[in-house]
Short mmCIF file of all heavy atoms in Angstrom, two decimals:
data_model
loop_
_atom_site.label_atom_id
_atom_site.label_comp_id
_atom_site.label_asym_id
_atom_site.label_seq_id
_atom_site.Cartn_x
_atom_site.Cartn_y
_atom_site.Cartn_z
N ALA E 14 108.19 116.61 108.71
CA ALA E 14 107.63 117.24 107.52
C ALA E 14 108.26 118.60 107.26
O ALA E 14 108.43 119.00 106.10
CB ALA E 14 106.12 117.39 107.69
N ALA E 15 108.63 119.31 108.32
CA ALA E 15 109.21 120.64 108.15
C ALA E 15 110.55 120.56 107.41
O ALA E 15 110.80 121.33 106.48
CB ALA E 15 109.39 121.32 109.50
N LYS E 16 111.41 119.63 107.83
CA LYS E 16 112.70 119.45 107.17
C LYS E 16 112.53 119.02 105.72
O LYS E 16 113.21 119.52 104.82
CB LYS E 16 113.53 118.41 107.93
CG LYS E 16 114.90 118.14 107.33
CD LYS E 16 115.81 119.35 107.39
CE LYS E 16 117.21 119.01 106.92
NZ LYS E 16 118.11 120.18 106.91
N ALA E 17 111.61 118.09 105.50
CA ALA E 17 111.35 117.62 104.14
C ALA E 17 110.87 118.77 103.26
O ALA E 17 111.27 118.89 102.10
CB ALA E 17 110.33 116.50 104.16
N ASN E 18 110.02 119.62 103.82
CA ASN E 18 109.50 120.74 103.04
C ASN E 18 110.61 121.73 102.69
O ASN E 18 110.63 122.31 101.60
CB ASN E 18 108.38 121.44 103.82
CG ASN E 18 107.48 122.26 102.93
OD1 ASN E 18 107.09 121.82 101.86
ND2 ASN E 18 107.16 123.47 103.35
N GLU E 19 111.55 121.95 103.63
CA GLU E 19 112.68 122.83 103.35
C GLU E 19 113.50 122.32 102.17
O GLU E 19 113.94 123.08 101.32
CB GLU E 19 113.58 122.92 104.59
CG GLU E 19 113.02 123.76 105.73
CD GLU E 19 113.95 123.74 106.93
OE1 GLU E 19 115.13 123.35 106.76
OE2 GLU E 19 113.50 124.11 108.02
N ILE E 20 113.71 120.99 102.13
CA ILE E 20 114.49 120.39 101.05
C ILE E 20 113.78 120.57 99.72
O ILE E 20 114.40 120.90 98.70
CB ILE E 20 114.76 118.91 101.35
CG1 ILE E 20 115.65 118.77 102.58
CG2 ILE E 20 115.38 118.21 100.14
CD1 ILE E 20 115.80 117.36 103.08
N ILE E 21 112.46 120.37 99.72
CA ILE E 21 111.69 120.52 98.48
C ILE E 21 111.77 121.96 97.98
O ILE E 21 111.94 122.21 96.78
CB ILE E 21 110.23 120.09 98.71
CG1 ILE E 21 110.16 118.59 98.91
CG2 ILE E 21 109.35 120.50 97.52
CD1 ILE E 21 108.80 118.09 99.33
N LYS E 22 111.68 122.93 98.89
CA LYS E 22 111.77 124.34 98.50
C LYS E 22 113.14 124.65 97.91
O LYS E 22 113.25 125.36 96.92
CB LYS E 22 111.49 125.23 99.71
CG LYS E 22 110.03 125.29 100.11
CD LYS E 22 109.83 126.22 101.31
CE LYS E 22 108.36 126.31 101.68
NZ LYS E 22 108.13 127.19 102.87
N ALA E 23 114.18 124.08 98.52
CA ALA E 23 115.53 124.31 98.02
C ALA E 23 115.70 123.71 96.63
O ALA E 23 116.29 124.33 95.73
CB ALA E 23 116.56 123.70 98.98
N LEU E 24 115.16 122.50 96.45
CA LEU E 24 115.22 121.88 95.12
C LEU E 24 114.41 122.67 94.11
O LEU E 24 114.79 122.81 92.95
CB LEU E 24 114.71 120.43 95.21
CG LEU E 24 115.61 119.44 95.96
CD1 LEU E 24 114.88 118.12 96.16
CD2 LEU E 24 116.90 119.23 95.20
N GLY E 25 113.27 123.19 94.56
CA GLY E 25 112.43 123.99 93.67
C GLY E 25 113.14 125.24 93.20
O GLY E 25 112.98 125.68 92.05
N THR E 26 113.96 125.82 94.07
CA THR E 26 114.74 127.00 93.70
C THR E 26 115.73 126.66 92.60
O THR E 26 115.99 127.46 91.69
CB THR E 26 115.50 127.56 94.93
OG1 THR E 26 114.55 127.90 95.94
CG2 THR E 26 116.29 128.80 94.56
N ARG E 27 116.28 125.45 92.66
CA ARG E 27 117.25 125.02 91.65
C ARG E 27 116.60 124.74 90.30
O ARG E 27 117.12 125.13 89.26
CB ARG E 27 117.99 123.77 92.11
CG ARG E 27 119.04 124.02 93.16
CD ARG E 27 119.84 122.76 93.39
NE ARG E 27 120.91 122.97 94.32
CZ ARG E 27 121.83 122.05 94.59
NH1 ARG E 27 121.80 120.88 93.97
NH2 ARG E 27 122.79 122.29 95.46
N VAL E 28 115.47 124.01 90.33
CA VAL E 28 114.87 123.56 89.07
C VAL E 28 113.87 124.56 88.50
O VAL E 28 113.44 124.42 87.36
CB VAL E 28 114.17 122.19 89.24
CG1 VAL E 28 115.14 121.16 89.76
CG2 VAL E 28 112.96 122.30 90.16
N GLY E 29 113.53 125.58 89.30
CA GLY E 29 112.53 126.54 88.85
C GLY E 29 111.18 126.26 89.47
O GLY E 29 111.08 125.91 90.64
N ASN E 30 110.15 126.35 88.68
CA ASN E 30 108.78 126.20 89.17
C ASN E 30 108.52 124.75 89.58
O ASN E 30 108.58 123.84 88.75
CB ASN E 30 107.80 126.62 88.07
CG ASN E 30 106.37 126.65 88.55
OD1 ASN E 30 106.07 126.27 89.68
ND2 ASN E 30 105.48 127.09 87.69
N ILE E 31 108.21 124.54 90.86
CA ILE E 31 107.94 123.18 91.35
C ILE E 31 106.75 122.56 90.64
O ILE E 31 106.67 121.34 90.49
CB ILE E 31 107.70 123.20 92.88
CG1 ILE E 31 107.61 121.76 93.42
CG2 ILE E 31 106.45 123.99 93.23
CD1 ILE E 31 107.48 121.68 94.92
N ASN E 32 105.84 123.40 90.17
CA ASN E 32 104.65 122.90 89.49
C ASN E 32 104.93 122.35 88.10
O ASN E 32 104.03 121.88 87.42
CB ASN E 32 103.59 124.01 89.40
CG ASN E 32 102.98 124.31 90.75
OD1 ASN E 32 102.55 123.41 91.45
ND2 ASN E 32 102.96 125.58 91.12
N GLN E 33 106.21 122.42 87.69
CA GLN E 33 106.61 121.83 86.41
C GLN E 33 107.45 120.58 86.60
O GLN E 33 107.98 120.03 85.64
CB GLN E 33 107.38 122.87 85.58
CG GLN E 33 106.56 124.09 85.20
CD GLN E 33 105.31 123.73 84.41
OE1 GLN E 33 105.36 122.91 83.48
NE2 GLN E 33 104.18 124.33 84.77
N SER E 34 107.59 120.12 87.84
CA SER E 34 108.42 118.95 88.13
C SER E 34 107.56 117.86 88.76
O SER E 34 107.18 117.98 89.94
CB SER E 34 109.57 119.32 89.08
OG SER E 34 110.22 118.16 89.55
N PRO E 35 107.24 116.79 88.04
CA PRO E 35 106.40 115.73 88.62
C PRO E 35 107.03 115.08 89.84
O PRO E 35 106.33 114.72 90.80
CB PRO E 35 106.23 114.73 87.47
CG PRO E 35 107.29 115.06 86.48
CD PRO E 35 107.58 116.51 86.64
N GLY E 36 108.36 114.95 89.84
CA GLY E 36 109.02 114.32 90.98
C GLY E 36 108.90 115.16 92.25
O GLY E 36 108.62 114.63 93.33
N LEU E 37 109.08 116.48 92.12
CA LEU E 37 108.97 117.36 93.29
C LEU E 37 107.53 117.49 93.75
O LEU E 37 107.26 117.57 94.95
CB LEU E 37 109.55 118.74 92.97
CG LEU E 37 111.07 118.82 92.88
CD1 LEU E 37 111.52 120.24 92.57
CD2 LEU E 37 111.73 118.33 94.16
N LEU E 38 106.60 117.48 92.81
CA LEU E 38 105.19 117.53 93.20
C LEU E 38 104.80 116.28 94.00
O LEU E 38 104.09 116.37 94.99
CB LEU E 38 104.31 117.66 91.96
CG LEU E 38 104.21 119.06 91.33
CD1 LEU E 38 103.52 118.98 89.98
CD2 LEU E 38 103.45 120.01 92.25
N ALA E 39 105.28 115.14 93.54
CA ALA E 39 104.98 113.89 94.26
C ALA E 39 105.62 113.90 95.64
O ALA E 39 105.02 113.46 96.63
CB ALA E 39 105.46 112.69 93.45
N ALA E 40 106.86 114.42 95.73
CA ALA E 40 107.53 114.51 97.02
C ALA E 40 106.77 115.46 97.94
O ALA E 40 106.60 115.19 99.14
CB ALA E 40 108.97 115.00 96.83
N GLN E 41 106.30 116.57 97.39
CA GLN E 41 105.52 117.51 98.18
C GLN E 41 104.22 116.86 98.68
O GLN E 41 103.79 117.10 99.81
CB GLN E 41 105.20 118.76 97.37
CG GLN E 41 104.51 119.85 98.18
CD GLN E 41 104.13 121.04 97.34
OE1 GLN E 41 103.48 120.90 96.31
NE2 GLN E 41 104.57 122.23 97.76
N ALA E 42 103.62 116.01 97.85
CA ALA E 42 102.40 115.31 98.26
C ALA E 42 102.67 114.44 99.49
O ALA E 42 101.84 114.37 100.39
CB ALA E 42 101.87 114.47 97.11
N LEU E 43 103.83 113.79 99.53
CA LEU E 43 104.17 112.97 100.69
C LEU E 43 104.32 113.82 101.95
O LEU E 43 103.90 113.43 103.04
CB LEU E 43 105.46 112.20 100.42
CG LEU E 43 105.41 111.12 99.34
CD1 LEU E 43 106.80 110.56 99.08
CD2 LEU E 43 104.45 110.00 99.72
N VAL E 44 104.91 115.01 101.78
CA VAL E 44 105.07 115.91 102.92
C VAL E 44 103.71 116.40 103.40
O VAL E 44 103.43 116.42 104.61
CB VAL E 44 105.97 117.11 102.54
CG1 VAL E 44 106.01 118.13 103.67
CG2 VAL E 44 107.38 116.62 102.21
N LEU E 45 102.87 116.81 102.47
CA LEU E 45 101.54 117.29 102.84
C LEU E 45 100.73 116.20 103.53
O LEU E 45 100.01 116.45 104.49
CB LEU E 45 100.81 117.78 101.58
CG LEU E 45 101.36 119.05 100.95
CD1 LEU E 45 100.78 119.25 99.55
CD2 LEU E 45 101.05 120.28 101.82
N GLN E 46 100.87 114.98 103.04
CA GLN E 46 100.18 113.85 103.66
C GLN E 46 100.65 113.66 105.10
O GLN E 46 99.85 113.43 106.01
CB GLN E 46 100.44 112.58 102.85
CG GLN E 46 99.74 111.34 103.36
CD GLN E 46 100.18 110.10 102.61
OE1 GLN E 46 101.37 109.85 102.44
NE2 GLN E 46 99.22 109.32 102.14
#
Side-chain angles (χ1 to χ4, degrees):
K16 180 65 174 178
N18 200 44
E19 286 178 16
I20 294 171
I21 290 172
K22 286 181 178 179
L24 290 171
T26 301
R27 284 188 176 187
V28 303
N30 187 356
I31 188 175
N32 289 310
Q33 297 302 314
S34 170
L37 286 181
L38 282 170
Q41 186 183 53
L43 292 174
V44 173
L45 291 166
Q46 182 187 49

